[in-house]
Amino acid sequence: MEILAIIPARGGSKGIKRKNLRPICSKPLVAYSIEAGLNSKYITKTIVSTEDDEIAQVSKSFGAQVIKRPMELAQDETKTIPVMIHAAKFLKENESYKPDYVVLLQPTCPLRNAEYIDNAFEYYFQKEKEGFDSCFSAFSIGTTHAKWRILHDGKAQGLYDYRTRPRRQDENEHYQMVCENGAFYALKYDTMFELNDFIGYNPAIYLTKRVVDIDTEEDILCIEKQLMQKS
């Protein structure tokens, strides 16, 4: 069984400058995902997709294969799936490499280690027997009771029927809400091409505790504190 891990790591970033090279406890951020992929007992190839020469050099130094992507796939508005498709096509055309599964490892999740990946894959393989065709990691944010979300324009949108206001004890009115944590997305290679997406038709959700996805300086401080506690 061949499993390809794709780590998309471009040089530009809006929030934190050169984020993927930012030292986190003296190690570049991208290195954590590379090491997680290389140390996984299921992942058989770990690649970094980047347009940036410095990220490419650092990634190679930590043991990853690097696929240089074109600048048009390294823009602020570039979505992740065309980057993954580009990398997969490159490997097929240049190395005749076609894996069974593809896993997306976003470099902004340094707390996601090899053990996390392996546990997620074992959960996915079990759920696959039940008809699930992909898997992503998420954390629970509770039930829908009295929950709202604030939109970009400041408007409030109710996540339940606030006009009827169901009682908390009416369990049939509730369902569990979860949020993707960005740490793990896996699916079959052919499904990725068929859907042009990294989530399948019927995804299984691997529920874990919240994993910090680095977007701000505050996130970096939180991550470093947790890493130092583990060491």
Side-chain angles (χ1 to χ4, degrees), residues 206-218:
Y206 178 61
L207 278 177
T208 66
K209 294 180 180 179
R210 183 167 188 170
V211 176
V212 178
D213 184 21
I214 291 180
D215 284 315
T216 67
E217 293 288 344
E218 289 73 18

Side-chain angles (χ1 to χ4, degrees), residues 48-214:
V48 170
S49 169
T50 186
E51 87 298 353
D52 187 273
D53 290 339
E54 187 179 4
I55 291 177
Q57 182 179 1
V58 168
S59 297
K60 289 177 183 177
S61 73
F62 279 92
Q65 179 178 344
V66 171
I67 294 177
K68 292 298 290 289
R69 62 169 119 155
M71 285 302 300
E72 57 264 29
L73 291 180
Q75 305 302 311
D76 288 341
E77 65 275 9
T78 301
K79 295 185 180 298
T80 301
I81 189 60
V83 174
M84 296 176 67
I85 294 291
H86 171 266
K89 284 183 175 179
F90 178 92
L91 291 171
K92 186 177 181 181
E93 292 168 3
N94 291 274
E95 301 179 17
S96 299
Y97 178 78
K98 181 184 176 183
D100 301 289
Y101 296 87
V102 178
V103 57
L104 166 62
L105 301 181
Q106 299 191 106
T108 49
C109 298
L111 292 177
R112 175 249 294 113
N113 56 19
E115 182 181 11
Y116 185 105
I117 293 170
D118 292 343
N119 289 339
F121 266 119
E122 286 164 8
Y123 176 80
Y124 175 26
F125 295 148
Q126 183 61 41
K127 299 300 286 186
E128 207 173 29
K129 299 173 185 176
E130 303 172 22
F132 294 87
D133 66 355
S134 56
C135 183
F136 65 84
S137 56
F139 60 94
S140 175
I141 55 175
T143 70
T144 59
H145 185 83
K147 281 189 167 57
W148 295 70
R149 62 183 174 189
I150 300 174
L151 304 179
H152 291 301
D153 59 4
K155 293 181 180 178
Q157 184 179 64
L159 297 179
Y160 75 114
D161 186 356
Y162 56 89
R163 298 300 181 194
T164 61
R165 291 195 171 272
R167 299 177 303 163
R168 185 180 296 274
Q169 58 266 39
D170 294 332
E171 293 297 329
N172 62 326
E173 297 289 344
H174 301 159
Y175 54 88
Q176 188 175 13
M177 293 284 290
V178 301
C179 182
E180 299 170 38
N181 64 17
F184 179 91
Y185 297 87
L187 76 169
K188 286 187 174 179
Y189 178 91
D190 290 336
T191 304
M192 180 181 74
F193 277 91
E194 182 180 340
L195 286 177
N196 195 39
D197 204 346
F198 49 83
I199 295 179
Y201 294 102
N202 184 28
I205 299 177
Y206 178 61
L207 278 177
T208 66
K209 294 180 180 179
R210 183 167 188 170
V211 176
V212 178
D213 184 21
I214 291 180

